[in-house]
Amino acid sequence: MRDREILLIVTSVILTLIFSNLSLFLKSFSSTPFASPEIKQAARQVEIDGFRKSEQDFWSKIKDIDFDRLPPKTETAKIEKTPIVPPKKTTKKPTAVKPKLTKPYRRFLFVGDSVMFDLGIQLQYTMKQKYQIVDTKLDYKVSSGLNRIDYYDWYARTQKLLRDYQPDVAVVLFGGNDTQDITDFQGKHRAIATKEWQNAYQERVDKYAKLLESSSVRKVYWIGQPISNKSRYAKYFPVMNETYKNASKSSAKIEFISTWDAFAASGNFAPVVADKSGKRGYVKINDGVHFTSHGAKIIGDLIADKMVADKILKSPQPPKSPKKKP
């Protein structure tokens, strides 16, 4: 009696477990060797029914979603396509380049023949009074030039001047004594006004220009001869001026200043010319070459104005008028 009760209880528990989770029981029992084909088929059907139920639950949830409340596709696209702007790079502004300071021109050398003596004296006075330049040197030789180097060697003399005085600016004037026959560097005699003479004189001038170019002088003004009332000089001076001009073209520091028209009126020599202030006076003495003090002032002002334009000299300040007493 006791055994039958225990068997009944066990059977009840087993049946309760089977019916409470039949699908799990069938899956477990179908994998045992005691399961018949019918039992295995039943377990497979239960698995399929479970999968279908899960699938129906998924689509039911999808149907419950309110698609009208979702943000429009265009807005989503806008959000997605909004470009990411990288932070602006802080670029340093380039440092302003300071202008290179130009060393002032303080020492001035005036070189030439006796015509340069007249001009040099006037230039020294003008530069001291108007431009406060006091460090100047005038070196001249009467009856000299670049023709008769056997009489006076301007190459050797100028080298010594440049070495000893070390000028910033040199002003050169030759020609008044060079209107004569010449002996070229090959020792051949060349008659004035011939092509051979022009070539020989050009060689002399070029050699002097190279001497200046290779020196420490910073600027050279080669002064041309002005028009003359003497036919001899009126004939040769234009040729010689062209020679000086040609030499300056091959040098970065040499500048030719033409003075031909300074004493001219309508292309002809004018004995009386007005200076910058309007004062009129004779410009040359009777030999047709040397300047009067008035003529030297006109040429000197022309040279000084060119130096101001080239920033060699600073523009002179107008004198201050005295204050009136009350």
Side-chain angles (χ1 to χ4, degrees):
M1 185 69 178
R2 181 73 176 173
D3 293 336
R4 291 179 66 186
E5 290 177 357
I6 294 172
L7 180 62
L8 181 61
I9 292 170
V10 171
T11 303
S12 299
V13 171
I14 292 172
L15 290 175
T16 302
L17 292 172
I18 291 172
F19 286 108
S20 63
N21 197 344
L22 181 61
S23 60
L24 179 61
F25 174 77
L26 287 175
K27 288 179 183 178
S28 301
F29 188 72
S30 63
S31 60
T32 65
F34 303 103
S36 64
E38 289 79 9
I39 295 296
K40 292 181 179 181
Q41 180 65 31
R44 178 64 179 165
Q45 187 65 39
V46 169
E47 184 179 356
I48 292 173
D49 290 342
F51 174 77
R52 286 176 177 172
K53 187 176 183 304
S54 300
E55 184 180 20
Q56 288 176 356
D57 292 340
F58 170 76
W59 287 112
S60 297
K61 290 179 180 179
I62 292 296
K63 290 177 183 178
D64 292 337
I65 297 175
D66 189 357
F67 289 96
D68 295 334
R69 294 186 179 182
L70 292 176
K73 186 177 180 180
T74 55
E75 292 183 6
T76 306
K78 287 180 181 179
I79 295 171
E80 292 176 352
K81 292 182 180 180
T82 302
I84 299 174
V85 181
K88 291 183 178 179
K89 294 182 179 180
T90 55
T91 56
K92 292 183 178 180
K93 293 183 179 180
T95 306
V97 179
K98 295 182 179 180
K100 189 176 180 180
L101 297 177
T102 304
K103 183 181 177 182
Y105 298 85
R106 301 183 185 279
R107 303 165 75 87
F108 291 74
L109 174 65
F110 309 117
V111 173
D113 53 24
S114 55
V115 180
M116 173 52 86
F117 172 76
D118 302 325
L119 178 60
I121 292 295
Q122 181 61 48
L123 277 170
Q124 287 181 312
Y125 177 82
T126 300
M127 298 185 76
K128 182 178 181 180
Q129 295 298 316
K130 286 188 176 181
Y131 304 99
Q132 290 73 53
I133 300 294
V134 296
D135 197 348
T136 61
K137 183 176 182 62
L138 171 60
D139 196 90
Y140 73 98
K141 178 65 176 178
V142 176
S143 301
S144 69
L146 296 179
N147 187 323
R148 294 290 306 275
I149 54 175
D150 58 319
Y151 164 71
Y152 192 80
D153 189 349
W154 268 113
Y155 303 122
R157 178 60 182 170
T158 302
Q159 283 181 325
K160 187 177 188 308
L161 287 169
L162 295 173
R163 182 178 62 252
D164 296 345
Y165 183 59
Q166 295 186 350
D168 295 309
V169 180
V171 181
V172 177
L173 177 60
F174 292 114
N177 302 297
D178 289 342
T179 57
Q180 55 182 300
D181 294 352
I182 194 171
T183 301
D184 63 19
F185 287 130
Q186 288 73 40
K188 294 182 179 180
H189 178 269
R190 304 300 185 182
I192 190 171
T194 61
K195 185 65 177 176
E196 292 77 14
W197 183 93
Q198 293 182 40
N199 293 337
Y201 192 66
Q202 185 72 64
E203 286 181 350
R204 297 286 177 85
V205 173
D206 288 345
K207 182 178 179 179
Y208 194 79
K210 289 178 181 178
L211 185 155
L212 295 169
E213 173 67 27
S214 61
S215 72
S216 61
V217 67
R218 297 163 61 191
K219 185 69 176 179
V220 177
Y221 291 102
W222 199 307
I223 313 304
Q225 292 286 343
I227 193 173
S228 175
N229 60 335
K230 300 297 182 180
S231 59
R232 178 182 179 82
Y233 298 120
K235 178 181 179 180
Y236 297 139
F237 278 172
V239 177
M240 300 169 77
N241 284 342
E242 194 66 24
T243 303
Y244 308 143
K245 187 176 181 180
N246 289 338
S248 69
K249 291 178 181 178
S250 60
S251 172
K253 64 174 66 173
I254 301 176
E255 187 168 355
F256 175 74
I257 296 182
S258 175
T259 63
W260 187 258
D261 294 330
F263 300 156
S266 301
N268 298 314
F269 176 76
V272 177
V273 179
D275 62 13
K276 289 176 65 174
S277 66
K279 181 181 178 181
R280 296 175 62 82
Y282 287 97
V283 292
K284 282 193 173 186
I285 64 175
N286 292 333
D287 66 3
V289 179
H290 292 83
F291 304 141
T292 64
S293 59
H294 181 77
K297 184 178 185 304
I298 292 174
I299 302 300
D301 287 344
L302 190 153
I303 296 170
D305 289 346
K306 187 67 178 70
M307 289 184 180
V308 171
D310 292 342
K311 294 181 171 42
I312 301 293
L313 298 175
K314 293 182 179 180
S315 299
Q317 299 296 325
K320 296 181 180 180
S321 56
K323 294 183 179 179
K324 294 182 180 180
K325 294 182 179 181

